[in-house]
Amino acid sequence: MSQISTPSGKGTIANRGYTFAPRMAKTPKSFIREILKVTERPEIISFAGGLPSPDLIDVDGIRTAATSVLEQDGRCALQYSTTEGYLPLRQFIADRYKKRLNLSISPDEILITNGSQQCLDLIGKVLIGVGDDIAIERPGYLGAIQAFSLYEPVFHPVPLEKDGPEINVLDKTCRSCPLRLFYGVPNSQNPSGITYSDKKRREVASIMREYGVLFVEDDAYGELHFSGSPKPSLQTYLPGQTIITGSFSKILAPGLRMGWVVAPPAIMEQLVVAKQATDLHSNYLSQRIAYEYLLKNDIDSKIRKIRTAYQQQRDTMIRALEQDFSETVSYTHPCGGMFVWVMLPAGCSSMEVFRQALKENVAVLPGIPFYIDGGGIDTMRLNYTNSTSDSIKTGMDRLARVIRHICSQ
Ligand SMILES: Cc1ncc(COP(=O)(O)O)c(C=O)c1O
């Protein structure tokens, strides 16, 4: 048991008689997890979560891969392994960067992590000291706000416009303080669904270069663009100054907890030390199963299937917004990923929408926790990947009624 606190102890927080490290007081509880607990009832149509479609998880394929690994090399696959991760898997990821984005990345620049969420913790551990300045999109990914908060930085929010970060604000922020990094999600951002334009990518890279700031490119949704070719990674314009994080969660299965981080050698060296100290290495059996699956299956065809399904679900949600909501709200048009971002009429509280919609068995996610500096009260995130087209139509119909009712009061 930890030591008993002196309730007014300097630099500590007292909670039920335990003393916690000061960093915990600065780290927000995941509001989303709290809300999801409420919305788990089967009768609820939930647009609140962020789960991939369960119908698109290839259980049979993963079972076959797992059986094959355990039968052919079970003793080894269940042993301890290297911190960096299974080399053939890292080679696969490197080859895919070459094929998709024409990036030349060596497997030595890749570290396999426990989901890409762990990358954010490791990056925080290695790069953020107490009181360091870091920039983050506004609204920003809640998981990053949480992960970085543990290292007690000073957050500088950079508002997102429909084509990426507001460049003037980013430039002003860089000029006003020595930023350690700028964290962003250039493809189909969570929560807003926004994708940076090519122009914004070049502008962000140019500012990062001018001020010597690292760009942390969270690419959790990079494979989920609905049409055309993928947009260039920031690494294309900012080599040596970009850290990329990637994930198998949205294209294979989140339960495997397989992600990775790509970093320049000097940063990688530190990330490996931090990873070692954290958990020695990522789940080796999961790594072997993921690799076996990727070897034996056509992952491109699986990803095409996911894109087609999500595009149809997005279309259903956008159609409902156009037909039933257009006078009351504005919203983003995501060209990939899993979320639509809705701006309610001024003065309309998304918490009130959440409460009233829940009475109609529909769950939405209020936008407030995505704003590190407050605000966002009239915004909400809607997820379309975890509901069928029919339930999207039904849920959106109920939601439109709820919002009209609140606005008319
Ligand atoms: C932007 C972003 N980054 C990282 C993650 C973490 O994903 P995982 O740890 O499953 O790879 C998520 C999860 O939804 C996300 O939306």
Side-chain angles (χ1 to χ4, degrees):
M1 197 214 276
S2 41
Q3 59 183 134
I4 302 295
S5 69
T6 47
S8 59
K10 211 171 171 209
T12 64
I13 55 168
N15 186 343
R16 291 192 214 108
Y18 298 95
T19 300
F20 297 102
R23 72 178 73 92
M24 295 312 296
K26 295 181 181 163
T27 304
K29 202 169 175 184
S30 176
F31 182 68
I32 295 182
R33 299 262 170 278
E34 298 302 301
I35 280 192
L36 292 186
K37 277 186 216 155
V38 185
T39 62
E40 265 166 9
R41 300 198 307 264
E43 68 274 21
I44 302 270
I45 297 174
S46 180
F47 304 136
L51 303 186
S53 167
D55 301 338
L56 295 166
I57 295 177
D58 182 5
V59 178
D60 287 340
I62 292 175
R63 183 192 302 117
T64 305
T67 305
S68 160
V69 168
L70 286 169
E71 282 181 0
Q72 286 169 27
D73 201 19
R75 286 214 161 73
C76 175
L78 290 164
Q79 258 300 1
Y80 283 116
S81 188
T82 55
T83 302
E84 289 82 352
Y86 187 46
L87 182 57
L89 182 61
R90 288 187 285 135
Q91 185 67 60
F92 177 92
I93 294 166
D95 293 345
R96 198 160 175 82
Y97 275 119
K98 186 71 194 166
K99 183 174 146 197
R100 287 182 59 235
L101 298 165
N102 197 27
L103 290 179
S104 298
I105 289 169
S106 136
D108 294 342
E109 293 168 282
I110 297 172
L111 168 67
I112 304 289
T113 56
N114 187 35
S116 62
Q117 184 65 28
Q118 189 184 40
C119 306
L120 305 177
D121 178 59
L122 296 176
I123 289 166
K125 234 174 219 150
V126 162
L127 290 167
I128 304 174
V130 176
D132 281 348
D133 296 291
I134 69 168
I136 183 164
E137 297 158 332
R138 181 183 196 270
Y141 169 52
L142 185 59
I145 294 174
Q146 252 196 330
F148 295 150
S149 291
L150 282 170
Y151 301 98
E152 305 178 69
V154 175
F155 284 101
H156 297 269
V158 179
L160 278 181
E161 302 177 303
K162 65 178 190 307
D163 62 345
E166 209 173 315
I167 293 299
N168 288 344
V169 176
L170 182 61
D171 187 59
K172 213 160 122 190
T173 307
C174 286
R175 239 181 299 133
S176 68
C177 61
L179 278 189
R180 300 301 305 246
L181 57 88
F182 174 32
Y183 164 83
V185 188
N187 294 314
S188 309
Q189 197 240 17
N190 179 2
S192 69
I194 283 167
T195 291
Y196 294 12
S197 65
D198 290 0
K199 178 168 173 277
K200 278 278 166 87
R201 285 167 200 255
R202 285 193 299 273
E203 286 173 344
V204 169
S206 153
I207 293 174
M208 298 291 96
R209 195 177 314 105
E210 184 181 346
Y211 294 97
V213 177
L214 284 170
F215 185 73
V216 177
E217 177 178 80
D218 183 334
D219 201 22
Y221 302 97
E223 295 268 16
L224 300 187
H225 53 90
F226 297 148
S227 58
S229 30
K231 295 225 171 271
S233 161
L234 265 282
Q235 166 113 323
T236 310
Y237 308 117
L238 197 62
Q241 236 175 284
T242 307
I243 298 176
I244 309 173
T245 68
S247 177
F248 285 118
S249 291
K250 311 298 190 278
I251 56 172
L252 265 187
L256 287 172
R257 304 309 300 130
M258 285 287 97
W260 66 89
V261 53
V262 180
I267 297 177
M268 181 52 69
E269 225 174 89
Q270 300 296 313
L271 289 171
V272 169
V273 173
K275 168 86 180 157
Q276 229 156 38
T278 303
D279 61 0
L280 303 184
H281 61 77
S282 295
N283 182 324
Y284 188 48
L285 181 60
S286 263
Q287 296 183 60
R288 297 290 303 269
I289 293 170
Y291 179 68
E292 179 70 14
Y293 182 90
L294 294 163
L295 201 64
K296 298 284 165 61
N297 291 274
D298 178 359
I299 190 66
D300 286 307
S301 128
K302 305 266 178 218
I303 292 171
R304 276 197 298 276
K305 235 195 231 171
I306 298 173
R307 285 180 192 151
T308 305
Y310 288 180
Q311 184 170 10
Q312 282 166 3
Q313 287 161 295
R314 176 210 58 181
D315 289 347
T316 306
M317 186 169 271
I318 293 285
R319 222 172 293 126
L321 282 161
E322 279 165 3
Q323 284 166 6
D324 301 333
F325 292 69
S326 57
E327 288 150 40
T328 48
V329 304
S330 56
Y331 45 88
T332 56
H333 285 76
C335 59
M338 301 177 26
F339 307 107
V340 174
W341 185 243
V342 175
M343 277 71 67
L344 297 161
C348 180
S349 154
S350 57
M351 281 308 292
E352 189 55 25
V353 173
F354 170 74
R355 276 189 289 269
Q356 300 226 10
L358 209 52
K359 288 187 198 154
E360 304 292 325
N361 288 337
V362 177
V364 301
L365 191 66
I368 301 156
F370 300 101
Y371 289 79
I372 190 75
D373 55 350
I377 191 141
D378 50 1
T379 61
M380 61 182 185
R381 190 190 76 178
L382 301 180
N383 165 259
Y384 46 79
T385 61
N386 201 235
S387 308
T388 62
S389 281
D390 280 349
S391 47
I392 293 175
K393 281 183 206 153
T394 310
M396 293 301 281
D397 185 47
R398 292 182 202 164
L399 188 58
R401 269 187 278 125
V402 164
I403 293 175
R404 270 199 297 269
H405 175 69
I406 293 174
C407 289
S408 68
Q409 283 176 334

